[in-house]
Amino acid sequence: MDHNSYSDSYIRGILNTVKTIAMVGASEKENRPSYFAFKYLLERGYKMIPVNPGQAGHTMLGQRIYARLADIAEPVDMVDIFRASKYALPIVQEALTLKPRPQVIWMQLGVRSNEAAALAEANGLKVVMNRCPKIEYGRLSSEIAWLGVNTRTLSSKRAPIGGVQRMSLNRTSAPGGVTAAADRVQREERDR
Amino acid sequence: MTERIPGFSTLAIHAGAQPDPTTGARATPIYQTTSFVFESVDHAASLFGLQTFGNIYTRIGNPTNAVLEERIAALEGGTAGLVVATGHAAQVIVFHCLMQPGDELVASKKLYGGSINQFNHAFKNFNWNVVWADPEDISSFERAISPKTKAIFTESIANPGGVITDMEAVAQIARRAGVPYIVDNTLATPYLCKPIDHGADIVVHSLTKFLGGHGNSMGGAIVDAGTFNWSREKRYPMLSEPRPEYHGVVMHETFGNFGFAMACRMLALRDIGAALSPFNAFLILTGIETLPLRMQKHCDNALAVAQWIAQHPKIAWVSYPGLPGDRYHSLAKKYCPNGAGAVFTFGLKGGYEAGVKLVSNVQLFSHLANIGDTRSLIIHPASTTHRQLTDAQKIQAGAGPDVVRLSIGIEDKDDIIADLEQALAD
Ligand SMILES: Cc1ncc(COP(=O)(O)O)c(C=O)c1O
């Protein structure tokens, strides 16, 4: 599949079906991007499991940190890779040994590995690369629009809400155009 | 995976504006409030720590303003926007995020006079130093670059009209120098030209002009194209260094391709304080809904008026790139194919006295210092905005004694021409 652009329905489908997310590379340090994303997704109701060998045994936001995916005792629906691109392939290899297997491999913004993606897809897993699930959740629920972000969605339907300043993902929307320039630059960076 | 991408007019009406989640209100509500309650102490902590999206205090963000921000970002093809009190405030906020004392910006010398003042005087007090370049000689931008250069700034169509910047050429120079290219797109609006498509990394606007379009509200905007790699350049500490304001958060690393817009909001607007009133945001949003219709009519009228003026016996010259034969005509066709804007200047053979007489004689045109209103506007810079300058300085600024600037409105073009005809008659 084309990993340069994903349809909103593909991303929405993933975020609406997965319940347990193991975040490899999650950090307990409050100023790290992984902490931001972890906390946000936890608050949105996902069961979040941090994986980080350097912090194993600690807890972050009440969740025990594991050293490896294999140490997690419960089924994981999605593995979110918050590590440099070169680690993506071994993490997918490890993920494929889990029983049951996760359904989705998600690589964070800036993380891309065509080999890791191909391996996961060959085993029937869905793959997202170079995206942040927090940003995508915020975009498709329209919460991120409060920060002036171009959600690239349009809707004439009232948005469903889930509490004070919380918008639900189950919003009907039409795509509101692409930011071709940002996408072009990402492609150029990758091809450098 | 073919999802339909809406056209410009659809975005001008719908982008950012969804029926209100609690009331179902279809028009964007005016959230006339200073502050927003927190759900809990932890929610407040997440908001202040930038860990979740939401509203805190209207100086930092407001839901009405947010609709305007997304609308403008969508129209310009950017990743995110920020709206602020005025166009000038937008420029201060952008440069606050880019410049350290002692740094330089390279700017086109064909700019709105207020921007020339801002760079020459206010910025100098911050020890941000402007180096001027000439859009008629693109290589002058290259020569103006030094190791201290942090950005290049031009307008797309320069106020007072007549000059179209070769943005793709300037963008290449910026890319080679490793600095962001900022374009003030006020006179063109995204309906006529999208600078991001031509290599701009940041777009700024005075919403006071054509975007608001009705002469009733001040406003400014910043659009992040999401194209500049702040982490690679490492010369922009607001973007690539841990921020003490937020416990060591790194803006570009955390927010990716909308990191610059976030820095403008959370590091600059928060501390500088030039927030836009939600009421103004509402009026500007309403204006933008008709932008495509208005802008086309502005341009069609302006071309008709420029053609009529060009053959008038009392007129020495007209500077409007929409006219075939104008030195900027080919750049206008490349960058603004739907029209060359609605602001232009012309020279009166009768000089200063003729200029004063013309602005006194008009009855439909309003004699004032703005542009981009539904109404046609006129000003004689030598006797008003540029009065304090010497004659030599006036000519240098394009405001010689004979110069008159028009901003053509969307009245019937025959009435606009008839007013000029009677005003020039005696
Ligand atoms: C091209 C341009 N940029 C910026 C500005 C400044 O905008 P504001 O008056 O909203 O501060 C103006 C105002 O005339 C302008 O014409």
Side-chain angles (χ1 to χ4, degrees):
Chain A
M1 86 177 264
D2 174 15
H3 288 286
N4 289 319
S5 67
Y6 302 103
S7 68
D8 287 354
S9 52
Y10 180 71
I11 300 285
R12 198 191 301 271
I14 289 173
L15 292 176
N16 261 334
T17 44
V18 302
K19 293 191 169 57
T20 304
I21 302 175
M23 186 186 280
V24 182
S27 172
E28 63 188 342
K29 288 200 193 124
E30 282 186 26
N31 61 7
R32 301 304 303 148
S34 61
Y35 183 92
F36 283 39
F38 188 95
K39 183 170 184 195
Y40 180 84
L41 294 170
L42 187 66
E43 285 171 350
R44 292 298 169 283
Y46 294 99
K47 170 96 179 71
M48 296 299 296
I49 304 176
V51 177
N52 183 333
Q55 296 167 5
H58 304 189
T59 58
M60 68 185 273
L61 295 162
Q63 315 304 309
R64 173 158 173 224
I65 304 179
Y66 291 89
R68 301 178 304 139
L69 284 171
D71 295 345
I72 301 171
E74 62 193 292
V76 168
D77 301 320
M78 173 168 124
V79 174
D80 182 10
I81 303 178
F82 233 113
R83 301 289 314 277
S85 300
K86 63 179 171 189
Y87 300 114
L89 183 60
I91 292 167
V92 170
Q93 285 164 343
E94 192 186 344
L96 288 172
T97 66
L98 299 181
K99 290 199 182 62
R101 275 183 183 170
Q103 302 134 35
V104 180
I105 298 291
W106 189 302
M107 299 179 219
Q108 274 294 330
L109 208 56
V111 183
R112 292 195 63 113
S113 164
N114 292 334
E115 292 142 283
L119 178 64
E121 284 178 318
N123 284 280
L125 277 59
K126 288 186 178 168
V127 173
V128 176
M129 294 199 283
N130 193 26
R131 293 285 188 284
C132 172
K134 173 188 172 186
I135 291 173
E136 294 303 305
Y137 192 110
R139 190 173 73 77
L140 294 171
S141 68
S142 82
E143 271 181 22
I144 203 170
W146 286 319
L147 296 180
V149 172
N150 183 1
T151 64
R152 295 175 278 133
T153 60
L154 303 181
S155 180
S156 61
K157 299 278 187 286
R158 199 165 66 81
I161 44 181
V164 175
Q165 295 197 25
R166 281 202 190 173
M167 313 291 281
S168 152
L169 203 55
N170 297 321
R171 163 179 177 256
T172 52
S173 62
V178 289
T179 59
D183 292 348
R184 167 178 50 74
V185 166
Q186 259 174 20
R187 263 194 304 278
E188 282 168 10
E189 300 253 317
R190 206 179 62 244
D191 299 341
R192 281 162 83 94
Chain B
M1 274 192 276
T2 49
E3 286 182 343
R4 215 186 132 68
I5 295 170
F8 189 88
S9 298
T10 304
L11 292 177
I13 294 165
H14 289 281
Q18 188 170 5
D20 185 64
T22 50
T23 64
R26 180 61 273 214
T28 297
I30 304 168
Y31 286 94
Q32 192 70 23
T33 182
T34 56
S35 324
F36 302 83
V37 292
F38 306 118
E39 192 174 19
S40 62
V41 171
D42 188 54
H43 178 227
S46 292
L47 283 168
F48 279 106
L50 306 183
Q51 289 152 354
T52 192
F53 313 117
N55 298 292
I56 301 173
Y57 188 60
T58 287
R59 169 150 46 73
I60 302 170
N62 173 284
T64 310
N65 297 15
V67 174
L68 179 57
E69 287 160 348
E70 185 175 0
R71 178 83 46 91
I72 296 168
L75 293 176
E76 288 285 7
T79 52
L82 176 67
V83 294
V84 297
T86 65
H88 262 20
Q91 292 171 193
V92 172
I93 284 169
V94 163
F95 285 106
H96 179 76
C97 291
L98 301 177
M99 307 279 280
Q100 305 288 110
D103 284 346
E104 292 174 2
L105 70 128
V106 171
S108 164
K109 64 183 186 186
K110 298 285 187 199
L111 291 185
Y112 162 56
S115 297
I116 292 179
N117 280 338
Q118 185 185 50
F119 295 174
N120 270 340
H121 302 296
F123 280 18
K124 203 149 272 176
N125 277 354
F126 300 144
N127 199 10
W128 303 340
N129 300 308
V130 60
V131 181
W132 298 107
D134 185 355
E136 277 161 34
D137 170 15
I138 291 293
S139 68
S140 67
F141 283 88
E142 190 111 57
R143 290 196 299 279
I145 303 278
S146 86
K148 293 178 180 166
T149 307
K150 286 294 183 67
I152 299 182
F153 184 97
T154 74
E155 290 173 7
S156 49
I157 302 179
N159 186 357
V163 176
I164 312 263
T165 311
D166 189 352
M167 288 177 274
E168 288 178 8
V170 178
Q172 279 182 15
I173 293 170
R175 196 147 308 134
R176 279 201 294 276
V179 301
Y181 178 30
I182 306 161
V183 175
D184 179 342
N185 198 30
T186 299
L187 262 69
T189 81
Y191 174 72
L192 294 179
C193 169
K194 293 187 197 173
I196 291 172
D197 289 348
H198 303 294
D201 299 297
I202 298 163
V203 174
V204 293
H205 276 284
S206 169
L207 304 175
T208 317
K209 320 295 189 223
F210 294 97
L211 281 170
H214 294 71
N216 57 26
S217 308
M218 302 297 295
I222 299 157
V223 178
D224 185 349
T227 48
F228 195 79
N229 192 333
W230 309 100
S231 305
R232 183 171 64 223
E233 295 303 333
K234 291 210 181 308
R235 299 174 63 223
Y236 301 91
M238 294 284 226
L239 278 303
S240 64
E241 300 291 314
R243 294 312 306 175
E245 300 92 324
Y246 289 101
H247 307 292
V249 169
V250 179
M251 285 293 175
H252 187 221
E253 178 190 37
T254 305
F255 297 106
N257 66 13
F258 60 100
F260 184 75
M262 284 298 283
C264 286
R265 182 189 302 277
M266 295 301 182
L267 305 179
L269 179 60
R270 186 195 75 159
D271 290 359
I272 288 172
L276 180 70
S277 152
F279 184 64
N280 282 22
F282 172 81
L283 291 173
I284 295 164
L285 273 169
T286 305
I288 290 177
E289 291 183 11
T290 56
L291 176 71
L293 298 172
R294 285 188 293 105
M295 217 51 211
Q296 193 59 56
K297 175 103 173 172
H298 275 295
C299 289
D300 294 348
N301 280 356
L303 181 60
V305 173
Q307 279 165 343
W308 180 84
I309 288 182
Q311 50 72 46
H312 195 281
K314 291 190 178 172
I315 307 293
W317 53 266
V318 180
S319 168
Y320 184 62
L323 292 176
D326 186 272
R327 62 193 305 198
Y328 286 102
H329 189 61
S330 59
L331 283 175
K333 282 183 122 168
K334 172 172 182 182
Y335 288 110
C336 306
N338 291 331
V343 178
F344 65 92
T345 54
F346 62 89
L348 287 159
K349 289 180 185 161
Y352 188 91
E353 296 309 324
V356 170
K357 200 179 219 178
L358 176 59
V359 297
S360 319
N361 285 352
V362 287
Q363 283 163 4
L364 185 65
F365 275 84
S366 304
H367 178 209
L368 53 74
N370 193 25
I371 55 167
D373 196 323
T374 51
R375 287 155 275 265
S376 291
L377 313 175
I378 189 167
I379 197 158
H380 177 227
S383 62
T384 54
T385 49
H386 291 66
R387 195 189 183 93
Q388 72 283 8
L389 302 185
T390 65
D391 278 357
Q393 285 174 322
K394 282 178 191 155
I395 290 165
Q396 162 79 17
D402 61 327
V403 178
V404 172
R405 183 186 76 188
L406 301 181
S407 172
I408 300 299
I410 56 175
E411 302 99 335
D412 287 302
K413 71 172 187 295
D414 292 346
D415 295 328
I416 300 171
I417 291 171
D419 189 37
L420 289 172
E421 185 163 32
Q422 68 78 23
L424 286 165
D426 89 308

